[in-house]
Amino acid sequence: MFGMLLGYQLPDIPGARWIAPLLGTLMYVVGGRPFLTGAVSEIRFRKPGMMLLIGLAITVAFVASWGASLGVVDHELEFWWELALLIVIMLLGHWVEMRSLAQTTSALDSLAALLPDEAEKVDGDRTVTVSPADLHVGDVVIVRPGGSVPADGRIVDGRADMDESMVTGESRPVARGVGDAVTAGTVATASGLRVEITATGDDTALAGIQRLVTEAQNSSSRAQRLADRAAGWLFWFALVTAAITAVAWSIIGDPDASVVRAITVLVIACPHALGLAIPLVVSIATEPHCRGSM
């Protein structure tokens, strides 16, 4: 079909007619695997959605194409070109979605890297080096020039320009002095400070940011839920429409055409728009948040 569109013919060599079936089978087995496993999962949980609809379309196209290639069914059912196009478009949508999720994960890793590995805790007349995880509310720590605050706290001695871009996104340092609150992960750029710890662990602002990003990453967006619901309805609509098509053409008196058109309905019901549009929307919505959290 591609040759027909571009106006050329395949060379007349032995076995040339099996090139499309072999490559199509490779596309179905390798490229279609994510959709097939997802379809099985949706069947198991009795929740038809996007994966089941895609899996139905590519499976029907694959079986019909092999039947046409072997001469078992009408040659009009040779959908190798459509099968490859379906899989490529849907894989592109999945790549866009996975790329946005990977960027979110990278942002989480960058947030975690903002905390120092060690903190200098004031213990009487001396200082001891401890892990930030070992700090408690009320402890006093020393933050050296250029060092990061190990936990949320309040300045009890000193004054410094703080780089708070990880929270506010503002690159210009902000002057902080005695009594001002500082956030874990912010950097004292000019001079040292003594900070009394007011929150540690999961109670810090940085942990809250990480928690919100993780929840946003793990939860379905409104657009994704709407797409899954639409795909579920489209699955049943495709099956009913294919059945009506087969019955209608059989009544007309052309049973061969009824099979061709019923299978064609199932193939073209694959949700190209949902498969590409939703991941693109998720990607566009996620990337600014990833950049903001950096």
Side-chain angles (χ1 to χ4, degrees), residues 150-175:
D152 290 359
R154 178 176 56 86
I155 299 175
V156 294
D157 186 23
R159 183 177 182 84
D161 290 335
M162 303 296 297
D163 180 1
E164 299 180 349
S165 58
M166 52 81 61
V167 175
T168 64
E170 176 59 53
S171 60
R172 180 178 298 177
V174 179

Side-chain angles (χ1 to χ4, degrees), residues 30-31 33 35-36 56 62 114 132 176-177 180 205 225 227 232 274-275:
V30 179
R33 183 177 179 181
F35 312 114
L36 297 175
L56 175 66
F62 175 73
L114 294 174
R176 299 295 184 195
D180 291 335
R225 292 194 299 272
L274 292 178

Side-chain angles (χ1 to χ4, degrees), residues 82-152:
E82 288 82 358
L83 173 65
L85 189 62
L86 288 178
I87 293 176
V88 168
I89 290 178
M90 294 306 169
L91 284 178
L92 176 60
H94 270 271
W95 176 80
V96 171
E97 185 175 4
M98 292 303 103
R99 179 174 173 267
S100 66
L101 291 178
Q103 289 178 334
T104 306
T105 302
S106 176
L108 284 173
D109 294 339
S110 299
L111 285 173
L114 294 174
L115 288 176
D117 296 329
E118 297 178 338
E120 294 184 64
K121 174 183 172 182
V122 176
D123 186 9
D125 296 332
R126 62 192 184 94
T127 61
V128 293
T129 301
V130 299
S131 170
D134 295 331
L135 293 174
H136 300 88
V137 174
D139 290 342
V140 176
V141 297
I142 296 177
V143 180
R144 306 287 181 182
S148 299
V149 179
D152 290 359

Side-chain angles (χ1 to χ4, degrees), residues 36-49 52 235:
L36 297 175
T37 55
V40 171
S41 177
E42 289 181 355
I43 292 174
R44 183 180 296 116
F45 291 103
R46 299 180 181 179
K47 291 183 178 180
L52 184 55
F235 169 76

Side-chain angles (χ1 to χ4, degrees), residues 242-262:
I244 294 175
T245 301
V247 171
W249 280 92
S250 297
I251 293 175
I252 292 174
D254 194 347
D256 292 337
S258 69
V259 175
V260 172
R261 284 161 176 75

